[in-house]
Amino acid sequence: MSLPVRDRISMALLPILAGMLLFIPSAAFAAQAASHPLADPAGWWIWVLLLFIFSFFLGIISVLAGVGGGVLFVPIVSSFFPFHLDFVRGAGLLVALSGALSAGPSLMRKGLADLKLSLPLSLIGSISSIAGAIVGLTMAAEKVQLLLGIAIIAIAAVMLKSGKSGFPEVKEPDIIARTLGISGSYYEPTIDRVVDWKIHKMPIGLVLFFFIGFIGGMFGMGAGWANVPVLNLLMGAPLKVAVATSGLVLSMNGAAAAWVYLYKGAVLPLIAVPAVSGVMLGSKIGAKLLTKVNTRAIRVIVIIMMVIAGLRSIMKGMGI
Amino acid sequence: MSSEKQKETAIDRVQLVYANVLDFVSHTGMVLVAAGFFAYVFRLLPPTVSIEDIASHWHMKASEMHRIIKVPAGWSWVSDPLHGDALSYVSIIFLSMAAMICLTSAFTVFLKERNRIYTVIAFLQIAVLAAAVAGIAGGGS
């Protein structure tokens, strides 16, 4: 009995993922030994190359799993690479930001990413993401690492539990959405018709976006894992609009928080650039593979990876 | 058929303006990121701090590293920009300013359309980002 092609590709990705999690930590541990070649600063290029390769595969996997690169980047790189958490968070924000920037134009032209929906949410979120970044950079790295581990496992649980709704029903927009004139339409090829949408429960959404922005800024992660369920399941935006608009919000929140990291000297081009370019190249490959692999299986694998990275982050935070 | 239906979707002018500016800014940003990094790691321009020095300190907290070596932070590169690491850093600065550039274009459209609510929201969002860029919002030391 032979497996379908998409399942075989998914199975083939498993050893790559396992390798990423098994090989990189042993290399990182080895690098801590003074006699090891990786501990020699002259071997910097090995880490930069490894980071690029890792980010490239992360870019592929994050598209296939439907999660932002930032949420996986920070816990895994901070646990398995020799860089301090400050620099990893700085790079993580730029990873999330760049992904949102490059995908933005086409999603906006198709009417999927909505500027008017994103602006009030990003205004609240960018203020709180700056606050989160300040708090995160003030706290001891061990505490942030511990909290990051807990947050990542909680996010994995949210991803496992939260459902999604392609076209949620919104009977009546709330007063804020009405006043701001937030509604839109886009062409949905799967049903060959133009979908009109509106939203509701904006006040609760604004409060939640405040907290999401804070967490994103504090841990240097993208926040698609939280933005999308709030926009889709709570506020009633169609799933595609929620995903695309989440990116637009992220591009503004990420930029605000990134400046705190830039001023604190927590952005090193040597770490940020290979991460950003690796994830962006990988995302393009991932988008091409999207129809050829079993995305549900990949999503489960990614959730397992998040739990492992979260546990490792907790252990590192506890000094184990 | 699908292209006709695509045309039926009403997309605000401001959204199209934002998308066009974002398209230009993000592509320019990516070219700058690649060019800056190339100049940095292949040492086409001398770095402010050697790459080996950074690699021997990148396990430290950012504030501790800055007490020992002076890598670019915030706008510090402006006083001495002709270095490989400064150039690579500038490309990251550009990416971090992309949203603000796009929002400024959206703000002018809202203003021309006399859309008061969104003019105010866009202005406030620009002000928050400008405060972050200027180091007023918690970043400056």
Side-chain angles (χ1 to χ4, degrees):
Chain A
M1 192 175 72
S2 64
L3 286 167
V5 176
R6 45 193 264 139
D7 282 357
R8 269 187 277 163
I9 295 174
S10 307
M11 294 301 283
L13 281 171
L14 260 172
I16 295 171
L17 296 169
M20 279 162 66
L21 287 176
L22 292 175
F23 165 69
I24 292 173
S26 55
F29 288 134
Q32 287 165 7
S35 58
H36 196 278
L38 288 177
D40 182 0
W44 61 269
W45 61 271
I46 300 173
W47 285 113
V48 170
L49 189 64
L50 271 178
L51 181 64
F52 175 78
I53 294 168
F54 168 78
S55 303
F56 175 75
F57 284 112
L58 191 65
I60 297 177
I61 290 154
S62 60
V63 168
L64 298 179
V67 297
V71 73
L72 285 164
F73 179 86
V74 178
I76 296 178
V77 174
S78 67
S79 296
F80 302 132
F81 279 76
F83 319 130
H84 191 276
L85 184 58
D86 286 358
F87 305 117
V88 178
R89 282 182 291 167
L93 273 174
L94 289 164
V95 163
L97 170 73
S98 323
L101 289 178
S102 66
S106 71
L107 294 173
M108 289 183 89
R109 288 182 188 124
K110 287 176 186 165
L112 293 171
D114 191 83
L115 184 64
K116 285 185 175 170
L117 171 57
S118 73
L119 274 176
L121 304 174
S122 64
L123 178 58
I124 298 284
S126 56
I127 294 168
S128 61
S129 68
I130 290 173
I134 295 167
V135 171
L137 283 169
T138 314
M139 284 169 72
E142 294 75 22
K143 268 189 194 165
V144 180
Q145 192 91 47
L146 183 68
L147 290 173
L148 173 68
I150 296 167
I152 290 297
I153 291 173
I155 293 165
V158 169
M159 284 173 61
L160 203 62
K161 287 271 175 192
S162 72
K164 52 190 172 188
S165 174
F167 312 102
E169 191 186 343
V170 175
K171 285 184 180 150
E172 196 63 40
D174 63 83
I175 185 155
I176 299 179
R178 254 201 323 272
T179 309
L180 295 176
I182 299 173
S183 62
S185 60
Y186 72 97
Y187 170 66
E188 177 53 67
T190 56
I191 51 174
D192 191 29
R193 73 176 174 88
V194 172
V195 175
D196 295 310
W197 59 267
K198 52 195 177 206
I199 57 151
H200 60 177
K201 297 181 184 169
M202 188 109 178
I204 311 170
L206 286 167
V207 173
L208 290 174
F209 267 82
F210 181 85
F211 288 108
I212 296 166
F214 188 87
I215 292 169
M218 184 168 175
F219 296 123
M221 304 187 292
W225 54 272
N227 289 348
V228 175
V230 171
L231 279 162
N232 179 230
L233 298 174
L234 176 82
M235 295 168 68
L239 185 61
K240 286 187 178 177
V241 173
V243 171
T245 305
S246 162
L248 205 52
V249 172
L250 200 59
S251 69
M252 295 182 220
N253 292 0
W259 274 97
V260 178
Y261 285 83
L262 282 163
Y263 268 101
K264 298 291 182 194
V267 176
L268 294 176
L270 209 52
I271 297 172
V273 174
V276 166
S277 43
V279 168
M280 291 194 75
L281 278 176
S283 304
K284 287 192 188 298
I285 307 284
K288 285 183 181 164
L289 282 175
L290 205 54
T291 54
K292 294 177 186 150
V293 297
N294 184 342
T295 52
R296 189 174 290 182
I298 297 285
R299 195 172 165 85
V300 171
I301 294 166
V302 164
I303 290 172
I304 294 168
M305 278 171 69
M306 285 173 72
V307 172
I308 295 169
L311 288 172
R312 225 183 116 64
S313 199
I314 290 172
M315 286 163 69
K316 201 173 171 185
M318 293 169 80
I320 301 170
Chain B
M1 180 70 171
S2 63
S3 62
E4 283 168 24
K5 292 204 172 171
Q6 181 79 61
K7 281 176 196 164
E8 284 174 31
T9 58
I11 296 167
D12 290 340
R13 194 174 92 82
V14 65
Q15 178 143 327
L16 293 175
V17 170
Y18 191 103
N20 290 340
V21 177
L22 182 58
D23 209 356
F24 174 76
V25 170
S26 60
H27 278 100
T28 309
M30 287 305 139
V31 171
L32 288 177
V33 164
F37 195 68
F38 189 79
Y40 179 28
V41 296
F42 290 102
R43 301 169 210 248
L44 301 183
L45 284 171
T48 320
V49 178
S50 79
I51 296 177
E52 288 76 12
D53 254 0
I54 290 174
S56 55
H57 293 93
W58 62 20
H59 62 282
M60 290 180 173
K61 197 166 170 55
S63 54
E64 284 171 24
M65 183 199 252
H66 278 263
R67 273 197 286 273
I68 303 166
I69 51 173
K70 292 287 170 206
V71 291
W75 293 94
S76 70
W77 56 273
V78 173
S79 59
D80 197 11
L82 293 176
H83 293 278
D85 49 350
L87 207 64
S88 191
Y89 192 78
V90 171
S91 68
I92 293 172
I93 294 266
F94 184 81
L95 274 186
S96 307
M97 292 186 73
M100 204 166 84
I101 297 168
C102 299
L103 275 166
T104 307
S105 66
F107 171 77
T108 55
V109 177
F110 283 134
L111 198 63
K112 276 183 197 161
E113 289 177 349
R114 294 173 195 270
N115 186 335
R116 282 187 201 154
I117 295 177
Y118 275 99
T119 303
V120 172
I121 294 175
F123 175 77
L124 290 174
Q125 179 66 82
I126 292 168
V128 170
L129 289 173
V133 169
I136 299 164
S141 50

